[in-house]
Amino acid sequence: MATAQEFKLGQKLNEGKTKEIYVLVDQPGLVLVQSKNQITAGNAVRKDQMEGKAAIANKTTSCVFKLLQEAGIKTAFVEQHSDTAFIAVHCEMIPIEWVCRRVATGSFLKRNPGVKEGYRFSPLKLEMFFKDDANNDPQWSEEQLLLANFSLAGLAISQCEVDIMNRSTVAIFEILERAWATQNCTLVDMKIEFGVNVNTKEVVLADVVDNDSWRLWPAGDRSQQKDKQVYRDLKEVTPEAMQVVKRNFEWVCEKVKLLLENPASGRVVVLMGSTSDMVHCDKIRKACGSYGVPCVLRVTSAHKGPDETLRIKAEYEGDGVPTVFVAVAGRSNGLGPVISGNTAYPVINCPPITADWGAQDVWSSLRMPSGLGCSTVLSPDAAAQFAAQIFGLGNHLVWSKLRASMLNTWVSLKIADKKLQSCSL
């Protein structure tokens, strides 16, 4: 890809309240999203210039998109271009704002009298609003969206696409919610938009996700809010008040960078009874890598060298790194039970089942003496996933990959069903 200085801007595709979008002449299918220093509220009824906002917003949205992409969420983001602009895939935007809420506040309280501020939605509350400034972005139902018969980049927005956006919005919120929790911040609510990739015809997360897009309450305390609501709530816009707003935006920009940092990482240690099990173990290692979990392979036999098996176990217990042991042993599985009986760390049996004696051998992994808590998972991929789920409890980046994988599996099934129906018809 060309360097930042080499890009040649073409037609201006769109200009909104806070950004401009340009065609990149020498990069077919890509656009430049240029942020502005303008801050607005109430569909631009209130608008002001905030020096430095373009750079703050661009850095924030770039970090958010990087976090989501590394998790496995499909977005239009390609790369940060400069302090105030990023490169994105050209999309035709679906004119709907999807709003996801964890805590009741703001306009939701006005539209739903009787609901008190702070009410917690579990599951998340999802709403959609048609982008129409002249009519103050009216709330729409799913039926209204379907009957609008939108067609973008050659893709008709049918029930399938609506369901994908619905599911994706929830997954994206949950990933960002968990990330912000690492900074002791409550993600109260969030709005996002989707577009249709003009090349692939896929529905992807597009537009921007910055401090205009959400409500953030440090320690769950509204009085400490750091988002654009502070600007909306100003009774009078003064230079001093705008400095407070800017400091909040800068605070969020600095904190969002921390969301990309990997917390104390764990590891999976695969103990195999023989190198003949290497192919099976390599599958576990590869699957662990897809979740960002380091994996170490060792060879040891609990039957033939129990002292060495326990020495290897102690080696990984002694360095303070959170560890999940995976025991890979065919025939009579001694590894899993021996490790499980001598460690407080999680142990997963993943025996390489063979066609001849597999039905009999598996019982040595299933029937455990009392006091042993090792689980048994036959699939190498599933064993790695189970280990990742253990680490995901304390690592938001691992959890995010798991959550995105769930979403992508669901989306692939949804699209496959749509294609099958169209063929049948």
Side-chain angles (χ1 to χ4, degrees), residues 394-413:
N395 185 318
H396 70 283
L397 296 182
V398 173
W399 189 92
S400 296
K401 291 178 184 294
L402 289 161
R403 184 66 182 87
S405 178
M406 285 172 52
L407 171 67
N408 292 335
T409 298
W410 186 91
V411 169
S412 65
L413 290 170

Side-chain angles (χ1 to χ4, degrees), residues 107-116 121 125 127 139:
S107 65
F108 184 87
L109 302 180
K110 297 177 182 177
R111 288 181 283 106
N112 296 273
V115 178
K116 294 184 178 179
F121 299 112
K125 176 67 69 176
E127 299 174 305
Q139 184 174 5

Side-chain angles (χ1 to χ4, degrees), residues 128 140-149 159 162:
M128 65 182 82
W140 269 20
S141 66
E142 184 175 295
E143 291 75 17
Q144 285 173 292
L145 174 53
L146 289 170
L147 292 172
N149 295 319
Q159 185 70 58
V162 172

